Amino acid sequence: MQPMRKLSRREFMTMLAAAGGGGLLAACGPRPTPQPEAAIAMPTLAVEPTVALEVKVQEEATAAPEAAAEAATAVPTEVAEITQGEYGGLFRASVQSDLPSLDPASCGWIDWWLAYACIYSRLYDFDEKGELILGVAADFPSVSADGLTYLVPIKEGVKFHDGTELTAEDAKFSLDRHYSSVVTAITCGRGHLKPIVGVTEVQEINPEPELVDLKGTTVLDPYTLQIEVTRPYSVLPFVLAIHAGNIAPKKALVEAKDTFGTEVMIGSGPFKVAEWRPGEAVMLERFDDYYKAGLPYLDNLEILLNLDYQASLLRFESRELEYLLGPQPEDAKRLLEDPVFKHDVLFGEYPGWISYIDFAVNVPPFDDIRARQAVAFAVDKVALNAASGGANLPWDQLFTPRILQYDPDFKTAYPHDPDKARALVELVSPGGIKGVKMWPGGIDINLAQIIQEDLKNVGIELEIVEGDQGVVIDRIKSGEIQMVAWGWANDYPDAMNLMVDRFYCDPNDTTRYARKGECDAQLNDWFIQIAAMKVQDPGRTRLLRQAQDWLVNETAVVVPIRHIRILDLVAQYLKDVRLGGTMMPWLETAWIDTAEAKSLQDIRPVSG
């Protein structure tokens, strides 16, 4: 098999979402009749959803921010007590793609998972509930009264894989390096770190510099990093806990230049690279000097590359793999009915992974809110879910249970109602609306055809435009393609990740999509207020929920259609594995119950 081209994590998630979520593939063809009874009998969530707010936000809650000194601090959580596991063992998994890089800035898929969850450490991390915990930072940051300066203390004695000590110099250099020309991996860090003082000036340098020294990152002493931002940025601790915050040793980064991540890979994470056979496999081994005493338990990880789905499934059922991402619905259903494998099928829930439709609001027909409302009433979300195997959930909002501001009481103003949709279409254009084009980037063609049929049923003629995003992007930006089905997954469990990336509008940005028309002053005003508020402030949550209602109900510029959930096959003898945080398992605390593994090996599988 030829190696696949590099995919950014956003591209991969869009591809996986288009396949129905977690590899849930649907066949092309005429619209099927939904069969809810054929949906997967849902296994238990690997991670129970949680709403991190202790205070229920009431309608009358005010949005007044608290003191700015508290504004940028996320809710700290102590690390949960770790259950003693069994040391030793080999974890085996496979992917259908190649491995482009193990750069700490990686933001692809397999490279991002291995870099983030296995090889590198960060100042902060998330626990299994998505709450912020300490990483290599000694404490949560202290923040200046204006919310623009953070002081981050760093633990002493944290070792890199080469035996050197991790210091504030390494943390600073790793953050600055996201804007360096030597980063050959796909990186998402540039957008997340943009509020740091000096980033704009560096990005204006042409050609890009090899060595970057941001004005806003300062080493005060070996164990104290100061970070200055240009505006209040309350989610900065979250950003330091995702891939943007991966830390590697400065000396090795400088010496290796653009070979770091392909020839040189040194972090301070629980595992270190032992062997990499390009196109075939990558082997990791336990790092004995990991800063979390007693972890990890596993001795080795083996990730097979470019192995197709069917071969991977056969290996899993032969107990030659401990993990498989995204079994197809028919395989999941079969295994759930199998007495040997029924406990191996689990759901992992990635924060904020949804599919939604939006519109070119500055051109006909969707410059008329009634046309947007007609689409919202027309789309049959239950049928869409049934057609993709029933593993996902029909969804009415932009937030999911793993997002801090998730609102379990949110109601759409546009439940499925073809009659109301037809009436609105007649008001907009008697005789029907014609000439509408849609790019189905976040869903597969079969689901796009269901939407096409739904709209035809209410009098909207829809043409599906296929092609890679790079081919159609100019037509999307201009508004020639008036509808887009997007896929989205949050990098951190706060709604501002989605809101700022997709819905904040800078009126001075000449590169923004023309299809969006004039900036929405109401949304921008809310976002400015939110940026200066404490993450767990009930007023901030109220504003984010209000912004969601504005987008989905009041202006109908967004139509959420489904919450994507990931099916995983996890060997039942692999204990204390975390799912749902990084698209692949978090193995820091995972261990293999050898007695159970042996007993299962002795049972002849009855599947397939």
Side-chain angles (χ1 to χ4, degrees):
M1 175 182 289
Q2 293 298 315
M4 296 174 65
R5 73 174 183 87
K6 290 184 181 180
L7 291 177
S8 71
R9 185 161 56 89
R10 294 279 186 228
E11 287 178 307
F12 168 72
M13 286 177 173
T14 296
M15 176 184 73
L16 197 56
L24 310 179
L25 302 178
C28 299
R31 175 174 178 168
T33 301
Q35 299 293 331
E37 65 277 11
I40 293 174
M42 303 301 185
T44 304
L45 279 171
V47 178
E48 289 298 327
T50 180
V51 179
L53 296 170
E54 295 182 359
V55 180
K56 170 73 175 175
V57 178
Q58 304 296 329
E59 289 298 325
E60 65 271 17
T62 63
E66 297 183 16
E70 299 178 354
T73 307
V75 182
T77 306
E78 294 300 321
V79 179
E81 183 178 348
I82 297 170
T83 303
Q84 178 65 48
E86 181 181 335
Y87 286 99
L90 169 66
F91 168 88
R92 299 161 296 182
S94 68
V95 294
Q96 298 178 48
S97 64
D98 205 351
L99 176 62
S101 172
L102 287 171
D103 192 294
S106 292
C107 185
W109 172 31
I110 179 63
D111 51 336
W112 166 64
W113 167 64
L114 286 171
Y116 179 84
C118 301
I119 300 171
Y120 303 100
S121 300
R122 292 149 298 286
L123 293 166
Y124 303 105
D125 275 315
F126 296 106
D127 67 10
E128 66 278 2
K129 295 181 180 179
E131 296 177 345
L132 197 70
I133 60 174
L134 298 178
V136 300
D139 202 349
F140 293 90
S142 56
V143 189
S144 63
D146 59 6
L148 299 179
T149 303
Y150 292 72
L151 292 182
V152 183
I154 297 174
K155 293 173 181 174
E156 298 184 30
V158 175
K159 295 292 183 65
F160 284 115
H161 298 156
D162 62 359
T164 59
E165 186 182 17
L166 185 153
T167 68
E169 285 282 359
D170 303 305
K172 170 186 165 54
F173 194 84
S174 296
L175 292 174
D176 294 357
R177 181 175 172 271
H178 281 272
Y179 302 95
S180 167
S181 62
V182 302
V183 176
T184 57
I186 297 169
T187 174
C188 305
R190 292 188 176 199
H192 290 302
L193 299 170
K194 192 172 183 179
I196 294 177
V197 171
V199 167
T200 301
E201 291 82 352
V202 168
Q203 289 188 306
E204 291 174 351
I205 299 173
N206 188 17
E208 288 186 334
E210 180 179 307
L211 295 175
V212 176
D213 181 9
L214 293 179
K215 295 178 182 178
T217 55
T218 305
V219 175
L220 300 185
D221 62 55
Y223 305 107
T224 308
L225 177 66
Q226 176 179 286
I227 303 176
E228 297 173 277
V229 290
T230 57
R231 55 181 170 81
Y233 193 45
S234 58
V235 295
L236 180 61
F238 287 168
V239 169
L240 299 177
I242 61 174
H243 46 79
N246 283 339
I247 301 172
K250 176 181 177 180
K251 183 175 184 295
L253 287 169
V254 171
E255 292 176 352
K257 298 183 180 179
D258 60 359
T259 66
F260 198 97
T262 53
E263 298 178 15
V264 180
M265 291 79 67
I266 302 170
S268 59
F271 300 96
K272 58 183 180 180
V273 178
E275 182 184 6
W276 182 359
R277 301 191 301 275
E280 296 180 18
V282 59
M283 296 286 296
L284 275 66
E285 63 185 11
R286 184 181 194 273
F287 178 41
D288 292 332
D289 288 327
Y290 185 46
Y291 74 95
K292 295 184 182 180
L295 295 179
Y297 293 112
L298 295 168
D299 278 346
N300 299 99
L301 315 180
E302 180 182 34
I303 313 301
L304 302 176
L305 307 173
N306 294 318
L307 190 67
D308 68 36
Y309 170 74
Q310 288 299 331
S312 296
L313 182 64
L314 287 172
R315 289 194 182 216
F316 184 87
E317 293 190 54
S318 299
R319 300 297 182 190
E320 296 175 48
L321 295 179
E322 278 65 51
Y323 176 82
L324 177 61
L325 171 71
Q328 294 180 14
E330 59 270 24
D331 294 317
K333 293 172 186 176
R334 173 175 58 81
L335 293 174
L336 281 169
E337 296 171 354
D338 188 313
V340 176
F341 289 97
K342 64 182 180 180
H343 301 297
D344 295 67
V345 184
L346 298 172
F347 266 114
E349 185 168 339
Y350 193 87
W353 199 359
I354 60 171
S355 299
Y356 68 90
I357 295 169
D358 75 358
F359 307 93
V361 298
N362 64 333
V363 295
F366 298 119
D367 55 347
D368 187 327
I369 188 175
R370 296 172 298 181
R372 305 194 297 267
Q373 291 170 328
V375 172
F377 277 126
V379 174
D380 187 345
K381 301 173 186 180
V382 173
L384 288 174
N385 185 53
S388 60
N392 302 309
L393 298 175
W395 210 244
D396 291 329
Q397 61 174 298
L398 295 172
F399 308 155
T400 64
R402 294 293 300 278
I403 299 299
L404 297 178
Q405 297 80 22
Y406 169 67
D407 183 359
D409 298 323
F410 181 89
K411 301 294 183 185
T412 178
Y414 311 106
H416 182 53
D417 191 329
D419 290 336
K420 288 183 178 179
R422 290 187 198 97
L424 287 165
V425 168
E426 281 297 309
L427 291 173
V428 174
S429 179
I433 297 173
K434 303 184 185 302
V436 177
K437 298 180 177 67
M438 181 182 78
W439 181 65
I443 58 176
D444 74 358
I445 188 64
N446 185 48
L447 301 190
Q449 289 170 344
I450 292 177
I451 293 173
Q452 183 182 46
E453 188 70 18
D454 285 340
L455 298 193
K456 179 181 178 181
N457 186 42
V458 301
I460 301 175
E461 179 185 274
L462 180 67
E463 175 188 346
I464 298 171
V465 179
E466 298 186 66
D468 291 338
Q469 184 169 340
V471 175
V472 301
I473 192 64
D474 288 339
R475 298 172 69 190
I476 293 172
K477 285 184 175 182
S478 68
E480 179 193 345
I481 294 175
Q482 308 103 312
M483 284 177 57
V484 178
W486 298 104
W488 173 267
N490 274 34
D491 287 315
Y492 52 82
D494 187 271
M496 276 299 280
N497 187 190
L498 168 66
M499 290 300 196
V500 169
D501 190 286
R502 290 298 173 98
F503 303 115
Y504 172 72
C505 177
D506 181 355
N508 299 314
D509 181 5
T510 58
T511 66
R512 61 189 174 86
Y513 286 19
R515 69 195 295 267
K516 294 299 183 183
E518 296 299 318
C519 290
D520 188 322
Q522 177 62 81
L523 277 178
N524 280 0
D525 179 61
W526 284 334
F527 292 154
I528 290 168
Q529 292 183 59
I530 290 165
M533 301 173 77
K534 194 175 180 180
V535 167
Q536 70 271 28
D537 186 331
R540 181 177 182 272
T541 295
R542 185 189 66 83
L543 281 181
L544 282 165
R545 290 178 174 178
Q546 193 167 312
Q548 173 179 243
D549 187 66
W550 180 263
L551 287 162
V552 175
N553 287 336
E554 293 296 322
T555 62
V557 299
V558 181
V559 180
I561 53 178
R562 62 177 178 168
H563 170 25
I564 302 170
R565 301 194 300 171
I566 307 166
L567 273 169
D568 296 273
L569 295 183
V570 182
Q572 55 201 274
Y573 54 82
L574 183 68
K575 308 298 183 181
D576 294 337
V577 62
R578 282 170 46 193
L579 299 175
T582 58
M583 283 286 293
M584 293 278 278
W586 186 271
L587 300 170
E588 181 185 63
T589 59
W591 57 280
I592 289 176
D593 186 324
T594 54
E596 184 174 353
K598 185 178 185 306
S599 69
L600 288 170
Q601 288 282 8
D602 293 339
I603 298 174
R604 181 179 179 180
V606 297
S607 296

